[in-house]
Amino acid sequence: MMVWWLDGLLALGLLWLAWQAVTAPRLFRSVVMFIVFGLFMSLCWARLAAPDLALAEAAIGAGLTGALLLSAYRALLVRHGAGREEAPGIAPALARAIAVGSGVLFAVLAGILLTLPGAEAPAGREALARMEELALDNPVTGVLLVFRAYDTLMEMGVLLLALLGARVVAEPLRAAGPGPWRRPGLSEPVLVAPLVALLVPLIVLVAGYLLWAGTTAPGGAFQAGAVLAALGVLLRLTGRLRPTLTNSLYERAVLVLGLAVFTAAGALGLGTEGYMLSYPAGWSYPLILVVETTLMLSIALTLALLFSGSNGFRGAR
């Protein structure tokens, strides 16, 4: 009985947080509600026995996206005057209309989905039946990099295009960055340096574990990349990384590395197996591990640059 109470509270909490995120009178409150909504959503995915989605939602949906929204909020405050208590937000009537319209659209789509006939052989069962061919124990990784590899490849392309689009429409350097203690004449808080020294190796270790465990347990390139991107956000906020108007050859190489290696690995299958994005027999595990590693690096740098609002990074002097 307690389990049903918990699920009911989570469902009601999601609805309330979603409504608050859209209709809150102050923009900062909306951002905070969105972050809490992401945390609640990760709990819901965990309750649905989907730990991979729970990790991704917590790291990307609540963590990095929340940090990006807070950065954008700070930039709005700077643009509209440091003395303002609140950045301009969406009109309440329009916000409520959007919320109601989204709810109606969701209800219509859910109704249509429930009326569709069930598949005789669900794709999930077929994927599970073929996992032994891939030498993988995590079906999520198998689906992402094998059975729907085209989707994952396109997602990497979309992520890269998002960064390029942000560079076109955004200001060269936004307000995201270290706090006022990094300004000339002000000293850094005493706890910042030891906390950074403690967190950096821990974050790298967690990212490495998520990457390695992704073939057999919840984890993978997207979760590991999000964790590494969080490290970039930490170093950016504490002034260890400084934004630049240009990027180096190494940064450009890392940005396209995941997409390029994924495409090259898929092309190998075209020559050996006869179709694109397959893997040569006996080489699926090492190739998937290489692809996952390069995807992690590209995802991490892309997300960190999106947060920073810069074209590249350099170490603080």
Side-chain angles (χ1 to χ4, degrees), residues 81-166:
R84 292 180 61 97
E85 295 182 357
E86 177 67 34
I90 190 172
L94 179 59
R96 293 188 181 92
I98 292 174
V100 173
S102 299
V104 172
L105 178 62
F106 172 79
V108 171
L109 293 177
I112 294 174
L113 182 62
L114 292 175
T115 60
L116 294 177
E120 296 181 0
R125 295 179 185 175
E126 185 176 350
L128 288 174
R130 297 182 55 190
M131 286 302 298
E132 293 184 0
E133 303 175 13
L134 307 176
L136 298 174
D137 294 326
N138 185 6
V140 176
T141 301
V143 169
L144 290 177
L145 294 182
V146 181
F147 303 119
R148 45 154 286 192
Y150 278 104
D151 293 344
T152 305
L153 182 64
M154 293 300 103
E155 288 170 5
M156 289 302 302
V158 168
L159 189 60
L160 182 59
L161 287 176
L163 177 64
L164 296 177

Side-chain angles (χ1 to χ4, degrees), residues 32-264:
V32 172
M33 289 299 176
F34 176 85
I35 296 173
V36 179
F37 175 86
L39 294 176
F40 264 67
M41 181 63 75
S42 65
L43 292 176
C44 291
W45 285 123
R47 287 288 303 140
L48 292 171
D52 290 271
L53 290 175
L55 286 171
E57 181 64 37
I60 301 176
L64 283 172
T65 306
L68 184 61
L69 290 175
L70 288 173
S71 171
Y73 173 78
R74 180 183 173 190
L76 285 175
L77 288 181
V78 172
R79 175 180 297 179
H80 293 278
R84 292 180 61 97
E85 295 182 357
E86 177 67 34
I90 190 172
L94 179 59
R96 293 188 181 92
I98 292 174
V100 173
S102 299
V104 172
L105 178 62
F106 172 79
V108 171
L109 293 177
I112 294 174
L113 182 62
L114 292 175
T115 60
L116 294 177
E120 296 181 0
R125 295 179 185 175
E126 185 176 350
L128 288 174
R130 297 182 55 190
M131 286 302 298
E132 293 184 0
E133 303 175 13
L134 307 176
L136 298 174
D137 294 326
N138 185 6
V140 176
T141 301
V143 169
L144 290 177
L145 294 182
V146 181
F147 303 119
R148 45 154 286 192
Y150 278 104
D151 293 344
T152 305
L153 182 64
M154 293 300 103
E155 288 170 5
M156 289 302 302
V158 168
L159 189 60
L160 182 59
L161 287 176
L163 177 64
L164 296 177
R167 296 284 62 75
V168 171
V169 302
E171 297 176 358
L173 294 176
R174 295 190 289 109
W181 64 83
R182 301 298 294 179
R183 296 174 184 170
L186 296 179
S187 60
E188 181 179 82
V190 66
L191 290 179
V192 171
L195 283 176
V196 170
L198 175 65
L199 290 175
V200 167
L202 286 178
I203 292 175
V204 173
L205 183 63
V206 170
Y209 169 77
L210 288 174
L211 175 68
W212 183 259
T215 57
T216 58
F222 284 90
Q223 291 85 345
V227 171
L228 273 186
L231 174 59
V233 171
L234 173 66
L235 296 177
R236 175 72 179 91
L237 290 175
T238 56
R240 270 65 180 175
L241 287 178
R242 296 296 178 88
T244 61
L245 293 175
T246 59
N247 47 33
S248 66
L249 176 62
Y250 299 106
E251 288 171 323
R252 292 194 294 270
V254 172
L255 286 174
V256 301
L257 182 64
L259 187 62
V261 171
F262 199 176
T263 304

